[in-house]
Amino acid sequence: MLNVIILGAGAGGGFPQWNSAAPGCLLAREGRKASPRTQASLAVSGDGTHWFLLNASPDLRQQILATPALHQTGAARGTPIQGVILAGAEIDAITGLLTMREREPFTLMGSPSTLAQLDRNPIFEALDRTIIPRIAITEGTPVPLLLKDGTPSGLTLEAFTVPGKAPLYAEAEGTNADDTLGLSISDGQKTMLFVPGCAEITQALKDRASRADLLFFDGTLWQDDEMIRTGLSPKSGHRMGHVSINENDGPLRQFAACTRPKKFFVHINNSNPILLEDSPQRQAAEQAGWVIGEDGMRIQPDEVSS
């Protein structure tokens, strides 16, 4: 049965961001009207015992310590984490891999472009390839997720490309079609989608979402010029490769007809007013049927819509 844990629901930098004195970050530090969030990552299991991580955020060690389901029991060393599946090669999706360099076997999966970024950076050779195989994901081809001993996990993965852009540090290289993936994971009865970054909601993506039971989607910004208006950055959401929640091309409108899945916002930037528990923007998102993702949320099989 499909089990999902939100390890982190924040965008790059987390919430509160370490160098930000924006109103939301101040409230989060004070513990008022806003809950802190680490950087976006999920854990997924088919049996509640063996887990796969979707992205490995810079906060991974903290996330594991806060999640008893990911703790080792029994042998002196080990982990219930069987593999890591990368939706892209942005810093906030791959840096946590370095936390997992302790000669612990697991499978590392990503698109050819994402794995090529890891290959080009020698620091990731700290992940011993003899015990941590790197497996390229082929778009549109469902593959069974195997446990470390080679037995079936009960889950199937299908990756699909979504409009996006190259990682920030590799923008000069240009964008490849497989730089940004959506991940579909199924136990044969229920299906979840993880799309933490998306520059355009296509009809194909809406069709896929309409057939899913759970949707974890890019909630980076409320408005495209949000960070410009607040003086936090000269970049718009589209410039960063993200649709914005409340724009005409954003998820509130584009997924309004997708009533089957239970919908969650993840990868929420520290500037986004939906993080504030009493904001009108949060009320609008919730009234539209969205859940504002929080660290530690566990979605049990009986909570997944039919």
Side-chain angles (χ1 to χ4, degrees):
M1 293 186 295
L2 190 63
N3 287 261
V4 183
I5 301 174
I6 299 179
L7 301 179
F15 179 66
Q17 186 168 302
W18 68 276
N19 65 339
S20 176
C25 290
L26 294 177
L27 289 171
R29 288 194 189 99
E30 295 168 2
R32 295 192 298 120
K33 300 182 180 181
S35 299
R37 286 161 172 83
T38 57
Q39 295 166 86
S41 179
L42 302 186
V44 182
S45 175
D47 59 10
T49 301
H50 303 91
W51 295 86
F52 293 85
L53 304 185
L54 309 186
N55 285 352
S57 91
D59 302 314
L60 182 57
R61 179 180 179 277
Q62 175 184 346
Q63 292 168 345
I64 292 173
L65 292 177
T67 308
L70 301 183
H71 294 176
Q72 168 64 0
T73 59
R77 295 191 77 165
T79 178
I81 297 171
Q82 307 297 303
V84 178
I85 308 164
L86 300 174
E90 287 286 4
I91 291 170
D92 58 341
I94 64 174
T95 311
L97 291 171
L98 299 176
T99 298
M100 304 179 74
R101 68 190 184 279
E102 317 291 353
R103 292 197 57 80
E104 187 64 47
F106 64 93
T107 300
L108 178 57
M109 305 176 73
S111 74
S113 291
T114 290
L115 295 184
Q117 292 293 352
L118 299 183
D119 291 345
R120 284 195 284 271
N121 191 327
I123 195 170
F124 289 103
E125 296 306 318
L127 302 169
D128 188 339
R129 293 177 189 243
T130 64
I131 60 173
I132 304 171
R134 300 183 184 186
I135 300 175
I137 303 172
T138 301
E139 176 199 358
T141 302
V143 294
L145 289 175
L146 302 180
L147 304 182
K148 289 187 284 188
D149 63 5
T151 59
S153 69
L155 299 175
T156 299
L157 165 71
E158 181 183 353
F160 53 96
T161 58
V162 296
K165 70 171 190 65
L168 176 63
Y169 57 86
E171 286 184 345
E173 300 172 9
T175 295
N176 298 297
D178 63 348
D179 278 335
T180 306
L181 294 182
L183 304 176
S184 173
I185 297 179
S186 175
D187 65 358
Q189 296 182 333
K190 305 291 186 179
T191 299
M192 61 153 289
L193 302 181
F194 178 57
V195 188
C198 182
E200 179 188 356
I201 300 172
T202 63
Q203 185 61 49
L205 180 54
K206 288 189 280 188
D207 292 344
R208 187 180 287 273
S210 70
R211 300 189 298 270
D213 300 288
L214 286 172
L215 173 62
F216 298 88
F217 192 77
D218 183 350
T220 306
L221 301 179
W222 179 256
Q223 289 183 295
D224 187 57
D225 64 350
E226 177 178 307
M227 296 184 70
I228 299 171
R229 287 186 297 102
T230 54
L232 297 174
S233 170
K235 294 181 181 180
S236 67
H238 282 111
R239 169 63 182 82
M240 296 187 293
H242 299 282
V243 291
S244 297
I245 292 174
N246 198 43
E247 301 289 348
N248 287 332
D249 63 348
L252 283 195
R253 293 171 177 81
Q254 294 300 314
F255 290 123
C258 295
T259 56
R260 172 177 173 136
K262 189 168 186 179
K263 296 175 282 193
F264 296 79
F265 282 126
V266 294
H267 199 274
I268 307 167
N269 194 61
N270 69 89
S271 61
N272 194 327
I274 66 170
L275 291 169
L276 304 180
E277 294 160 6
D278 60 355
S279 71
Q281 293 88 349
R282 185 181 184 121
Q283 285 186 334
E286 291 175 337
Q287 288 171 0
W290 288 82
V291 177
I292 312 306
E294 293 189 27
D295 293 19
M297 281 184 171
R298 183 162 182 170
I299 297 87
Q300 300 283 2
D302 58 2
E303 296 179 280
V304 179
S305 60
S306 298

